[in-house]
Each structure stands twice: as structure tokens, then as C-alpha cells.
Amino acid sequence: MTATPLYCAEPARLDAALRLCERFSLLQVKKRPTDGYWLELNGERLELLTTGKHGAVYAEFVEGAARHRREQGGGRGQPVAKAVGLKGAKELPYVVDATAGLGRDSFVLATLGCRVTMVERSPVAAALLADALERALRDETTRDIAERMTLAHANSRDWLAGLPEAQRPDVVFVDPMFPDTDKKAAAAKKDMQAFQHVIGDDMDSAELLAAAIAAAKVRVVVKRPRLGAPIAGVKPSAVLDGKSTRFDLYVIKALASG
């Protein structure tokens, strides 16, 4: 896959662009590309752009959908919260989001009080997350939430396998990116198609699931399309169905006794 360059459109932010390039091994270019995909740092945020018709792709924890979820999201009754085990929990779990993407589920869980580590191997996605996290830390309405979120740019399988016992998470959350076969849905979300094109599909999900089960203390939660096949290998302990998605649960105690 071709490397995605970074272009800084705001001269005052050249230092910030350089830091992103150094942290995530990105190539900085002096002119805006005329084709393909590129990251662009403007005066407001970092965006993934292309010459196509869809809009910019970026991670966002302050405004838009993130603000709506923060203010009116439904609390611990949300499907992702129930899947992770927040409903009725006396102590909130430490969660590792092993396929962080744009960080939306991580943000919901952090909003509900969980400490969350976002692990993302794609340099493009990791850079977008880092930019969003920095903006959330600067905003007084999201600072306390962002302080519960950390970012690790790494391959989740290796990262999970290398955790010392004291740093093992209670829950590992996995939302693998598979080829989208739903043409109607794909047409309605062209921006996410662009993101998937640049990030690539997660074709090593079975290996990641095994690493997640080995690392998690309490459970592994896998988010899937409602009619999608489960990840090959270990059978889920339970399944929570939703309207468009479902959560396959791998409860560690149940797996150990099975």
C-alpha cells in the first residue's frame, strides 16, 4: 500500500506537522498532492483528503456526533457499554481498544468513566487520533474524558503479547475492518470507504482474537455487522444483537472452563 503523505496548509503549524511526521513516520510534502490520498493539517485539525467527491475524514471527540453522544448518548444502557460490562458494574473496567480506527467507541467508553488505551497500527489512523486527542485535551468540556484516553501506535497482537501482568486490561475491544460487501451501505458512507482504503482490511483477526483472549482478565468484545460471520477460531461465549451490529462476547472464565 502506498504511503500517505502529510501536507501542512497552515504555516503557523509547521512544528505540529513535523511532530506528527516524526511520531508516526509520515512523509511531509511541501505541495498539496493532486491525486491519491493525503493527510492535511489546517488551522483547525488534521484531515484525510482525496480528490474524490466525498468530504474530509477526521477523528473528532469535541463537536458533532461526539458531542451528541456525550450529552445524550444513553449512558450505560448503550449497546457498547452493555457489551463491555458497564451495566451494573461497581468498578469500571480498564479497556484496550485493539483496533481503534477513529476512536468513536473508545470515546464513548471514556465518556462513561472507563480508562481506555487506543491501539492503532496504521500511521494514518494513529495520527488522526493523536490530533483529535490533543484537541479534546485543550477543550474544557472534554478534557477530563480525554485524560482517561491514551494512544499506542503499535500492532495490537505484539502490543498485547508484550504486556506485563500488572498492565493487563480487564476488557479488550476488537472492531476489525473487513471488506464491505453491502453496496447500499458503502454508497452511503463514501468517506469511510476512503478511510478503509487507506487503512486496509484486518485480515489477521483470528490471530488478534487469540492475543486478546490471552491478555484480557475479564472478557473480549468483538463488534461485528449483525449478519457478519464471527471471527474464525474460538466460539463466542454469548452474543448481544443490535439493529445493525452485534457484539460477540468471549468471557474469560467461561472460556477457561469450557
Side-chain angles (χ1 to χ4, degrees), residues 31-133:
K31 293 183 178 180
R32 180 181 284 115
T34 56
D35 59 6
Y37 295 86
W38 68 94
L39 288 166
E40 184 163 319
L41 185 64
N42 56 39
E44 184 180 356
R45 61 186 173 230
L46 182 69
E47 301 177 341
L48 175 64
L49 298 175
T50 184
T51 51
K53 295 180 180 180
H54 66 74
V57 179
Y58 54 92
E60 181 59 63
F61 300 142
V62 181
E63 299 297 341
R67 182 174 182 175
H68 179 78
R69 291 290 291 273
R70 190 171 72 245
E71 295 175 351
Q72 303 176 39
R76 295 190 186 187
Q78 297 176 75
V80 66
K82 288 194 283 188
V84 167
L86 299 192
K87 197 168 185 181
K90 292 181 180 179
E91 292 187 13
L92 294 171
Y94 163 44
V95 182
V96 166
D97 185 347
T99 51
L102 291 174
R104 291 166 182 168
D105 290 310
S106 288
F107 179 77
V108 170
L109 295 172
T111 298
L112 296 172
C114 294
R115 185 166 60 93
V116 182
T117 297
M118 302 180 290
V119 186
E120 178 53 59
R121 63 182 170 185
S122 161
V124 171
L128 293 171
L129 286 170
D131 175 70
L133 197 54

Side-chain angles (χ1 to χ4, degrees), residues 29 46 76 95 109 116 129 136 138 167 201 206 220 230 249 253:
V29 293
L46 182 69
R76 295 190 186 187
V95 182
L109 295 172
V116 182
L129 286 170
R138 289 199 305 263
Q167 295 178 22
D201 298 318
V220 174
L249 310 183
K253 287 183 180 178

Side-chain angles (χ1 to χ4, degrees), residues 232-247:
V234 184
K235 184 179 179 181
S237 312
V239 175
L240 291 179
D241 282 315
K243 291 182 179 179
S244 59
T245 60
R246 74 166 197 274
F247 295 95

